[in-house]
Amino acid sequence: MKKNIIAMNASIMIGLGSILAAPSVYAESISDLEKQKESIQEKRSGVESNISDTEKKIDSLQDKQMTAEDQIAAIEAKIAESEKKIDAKNAEITQTKEEIEALKEEIKVLKERIAKRNEVLKERALSFQETGGDVNYLEVLFGSSSFGDLVDRVGAVATIAEADRDILKQHELDKKELEEKQNAVETKLASLEVAKAELLEIQKQQKQQKQEKDALVKKLKQQTKKHEDEKMGLEEEKANLAAQEKAIKSAISLENQRLAELEAARKKAAAEAKKRAEQEAAQAAAQAAAQATSQATESKKQSSSSGYSAKSNSSSAPSTSQPSSNVSQAPAVSSGTFTRPSAGYVSSTMGERWNKQHAGVDIAASGTVPIVAAADGVVSRSYFSSSYGNVIFVTHSIGGQQWTTVYAHMNSRLASEGAVVAKGQQIGIMGNTGRSFGQHLHFELHKGAWNYSKSNAVNPLNYIPN
């Protein structure tokens, strides 16, 4: 029983036909498997190199992002400092405007004082015009009644003249003060407005710089996210390649075991054939001797006739049959290289979809729908993916060519990693897990290993029955 299982597993693994095929054919298949293993190892090495390069890009982008964020922090500090300066200037402008308002009241008082002086001076000037100027003073002096009165009047005239001079002097001082105060506050206000405008321009430039840095950080984050997604995809590819390499190694091991069992069976068959030949030769010799004795006896009896009967032997070889898996609601297993993986209708074909490459076909159906292996092979991966949901990857080696089939969005998985599956064997149930909208099977067929870019994907509808 153990020998039969090993032989069946090896046949499923590499799809090379009957267990009685010539050893040279199997040796050639092992050579093909070894080449596939080496190819996978080379791809893994390339993927690891790409992961390393991507990590360096991510590190470089993160360094640039940190530098840009530091620059943004410095710019924000300068903007805050400019804001404080602008607030201070606004406070000074407000104070200056208040000073201007207060000065307006002073100016109003000064203008009233000047206006009154102007009236006095106008009266004096009019008096001088009408009397000839100094006549009033002479009349005052000559109209004195006594010498003492004269002295008093002379002093009064001098006082009045001095007062007129003081009025004129103060008048000039008030005008000058008024002009100086007006000029001072206007100059100060203009200076403050200029300083504020300069600060606002500086702040505008700083905000512009911050916007540019914010845009740079956003771009760097987008680039970092893109490379991180690429790295995740490459790591996924690396994991799949490792699983496929493991499956190929398992195939080689099983095939070597099968060859060893086949060689032992051949030796046993040869020994049995030799033994059987020797037995048949001895039996023939005995029969010949018995015939000779019988002929001699008959000759003595002078018998007119003699005969003999020949014994015939027949043998039958046992036949072996591989049990088939009849799955309810599953499509019939086709005779081609690949069979249809599930019942249902094709809801989406391979090609451009939603600005992305749809690397397989979607087969939709309702109810409990079995998913079956499209060909003999080994389950290289069986896990839950954020995008694929419940997914199984099966590695096939058919006629020296490696193939990979992918069964995604399943409700449940019925085959684990390393399991040997036969064409048409149920491996899961159709579902709606991962990034999926409605129950269906997303089925991919890759001529070679699965990779992140899915460059080996081929249209499954060209290989499975419609």
Side-chain angles (χ1 to χ4, degrees):
M1 176 64 70
K2 181 179 177 182
K3 296 176 182 178
N4 290 337
I5 291 173
I6 292 173
M8 183 184 74
N9 286 347
S11 177
I12 291 173
M13 288 285 294
I14 57 176
L16 294 175
S18 171
I19 193 171
L20 299 177
S24 60
V25 175
Y26 287 98
E28 182 181 351
S29 297
I30 290 177
S31 175
D32 290 338
L33 290 171
E34 289 287 355
K35 289 178 182 178
Q36 291 176 22
K37 184 182 74 172
E38 291 174 2
S39 175
I40 290 172
Q41 289 172 341
E42 289 177 1
K43 289 176 182 177
R44 279 186 65 189
S45 177
V47 169
E48 287 171 354
S49 176
N50 290 337
I51 290 174
S52 177
D53 292 342
T54 304
E55 286 175 344
K56 289 177 182 178
K57 290 178 182 178
I58 291 172
D59 291 340
S60 175
L61 288 168
Q62 288 176 340
D63 289 342
K64 291 178 180 178
Q65 184 178 324
M66 289 178 64
T67 301
E69 287 173 346
D70 290 341
Q71 292 173 345
I72 288 172
I75 292 171
E76 286 175 342
K78 290 180 180 179
I79 290 173
E81 184 180 351
S82 299
E83 196 69 39
K84 288 180 181 179
K85 290 180 179 179
I86 291 170
D87 290 341
K89 290 299 177 186
N90 284 330
E92 288 184 56
I93 289 171
T94 300
Q95 183 180 353
T96 302
K97 287 181 177 179
E98 289 174 356
E99 290 175 3
I100 289 173
E101 291 300 320
L103 184 59
K104 284 180 179 179
E105 293 299 322
E106 293 180 17
I107 290 170
K108 183 178 179 182
V109 172
L110 285 173
K111 285 182 176 179
E112 289 175 356
R113 192 184 306 166
I114 291 169
K116 289 179 180 178
R117 288 179 186 144
N118 282 335
E119 290 299 323
V120 172
L121 292 173
K122 284 180 181 179
E123 290 176 1
R124 293 288 177 89
L126 183 60
S127 175
F128 288 153
Q129 266 186 340
E130 292 175 348
T131 59
D134 293 337
V135 175
N136 290 338
Y137 291 111
L138 291 175
E139 288 179 352
V140 171
L141 293 175
F142 290 121
S144 59
S145 58
S146 64
F147 182 74
D149 186 29
L150 175 62
V151 172
D152 291 336
R153 291 192 177 198
V154 169
V157 169
T159 300
I160 292 171
E162 185 65 27
D164 288 344
R165 285 195 297 271
D166 289 342
I167 288 172
L168 290 171
K169 184 177 180 182
Q170 187 62 44
H171 194 62
E172 292 298 327
L173 289 174
D174 286 344
K175 282 186 175 182
K176 184 177 180 182
E177 181 183 1
L178 177 60
E179 292 175 355
E180 287 176 352
K181 285 185 176 181
Q182 283 182 324
N183 291 334
V185 293
E186 287 173 358
T187 301
K188 182 179 180 181
L189 181 60
S191 176
L192 290 172
E193 293 290 355
V194 169
K196 178 184 175 181
E198 290 175 350
L199 288 171
L200 288 171
E201 181 61 29
I202 291 171
Q203 189 182 61
K204 180 182 177 182
Q205 293 175 359
Q206 291 168 344
K207 288 182 178 179
Q208 180 65 30
Q209 290 174 355
K210 183 178 180 298
Q211 288 178 352
E212 291 173 357
K213 293 298 180 182
D214 286 339
L216 175 61
V217 169
K218 182 180 179 181
K219 182 179 178 181
L220 291 171
K221 285 182 178 179
Q222 290 173 343
Q223 290 177 344
T224 301
K225 178 67 167 54
K226 177 184 175 183
H227 287 302
E228 285 174 347
D229 290 344
E230 182 180 350
K231 180 185 173 184
M232 289 178 63
L234 290 170
E235 287 174 344
E236 180 80 359
E237 182 177 349
K238 178 182 174 182
N240 275 288
L241 287 170
Q244 289 176 0
E245 182 181 354
K246 184 178 178 182
I248 294 296
K249 287 180 178 179
S250 177
I252 293 172
S253 176
L254 287 172
E255 177 62 8
N256 282 328
Q257 290 181 47
R258 196 202 64 77
L259 285 175
E261 294 292 338
L262 180 61
E263 183 62 23
R266 287 180 182 280
K267 288 180 179 180
K268 182 179 179 180
E272 290 177 350
K274 181 179 179 182
K275 183 178 179 181
R276 191 163 48 248
E278 290 174 350
Q279 289 175 348
E280 289 176 354
Q283 185 179 6
Q287 288 177 350
Q291 184 179 2
T293 302
S294 177
Q295 287 177 351
T297 302
E298 289 297 326
S299 177
K300 290 178 181 179
K301 291 180 179 180
Q302 297 179 351
S303 176
S304 62
S305 63
S306 64
Y308 69 95
S309 61
K311 185 178 181 181
S312 61
N313 296 318
S314 62
S315 62
S316 61
S319 61
T320 61
S321 63
Q322 183 177 324
S324 60
S325 177
N326 296 319
V327 183
S328 175
Q329 300 180 17
V333 179
S334 66
S335 59
T337 303
F338 296 98
T339 192
R340 190 180 177 88
S342 76
Y345 68 95
V346 177
S347 59
S348 183
T349 57
M350 181 175 178
E352 190 76 16
R353 189 178 73 172
W354 302 332
N355 296 323
K356 292 180 67 177
Q357 178 67 15
H358 188 232
V361 296
D362 293 343
I363 303 174
S366 59
T368 301
V369 184
I371 306 300
V372 301
D376 300 341
V378 175
V379 176
S380 54
R381 294 206 75 187
S382 177
Y383 70 114
F384 185 86
S385 163
S386 60
S387 57
Y388 279 138
N390 280 313
V391 61
I392 285 179
F393 288 71
V394 180
T395 298
H396 315 270
S397 183
I398 303 172
Q401 172 64 52
Q402 180 189 349
W403 297 81
T404 305
T405 51
V406 181
Y407 312 78
H409 306 313
M410 290 189 293
N411 181 60
S412 60
R413 293 173 278 118
L414 304 180
S416 57
E417 291 185 10
V420 178
V421 294
K423 182 181 182 181
Q425 177 182 334
Q426 185 175 358
I427 59 175
I429 297 174
M430 187 182 291
N432 186 28
T433 58
R435 293 180 192 166
S436 171
F437 303 95
Q439 177 172 295
H440 70 284
L441 168 69
H442 174 73
F443 177 68
E444 294 178 11
L445 178 61
H446 300 261
K447 192 172 184 179
W450 181 95
N451 57 52
Y452 173 62
S453 62
K454 301 183 181 180
S455 60
N456 291 333
V458 294
N459 190 349
L461 297 180
N462 295 336
Y463 296 86
I464 64 173
N466 294 327

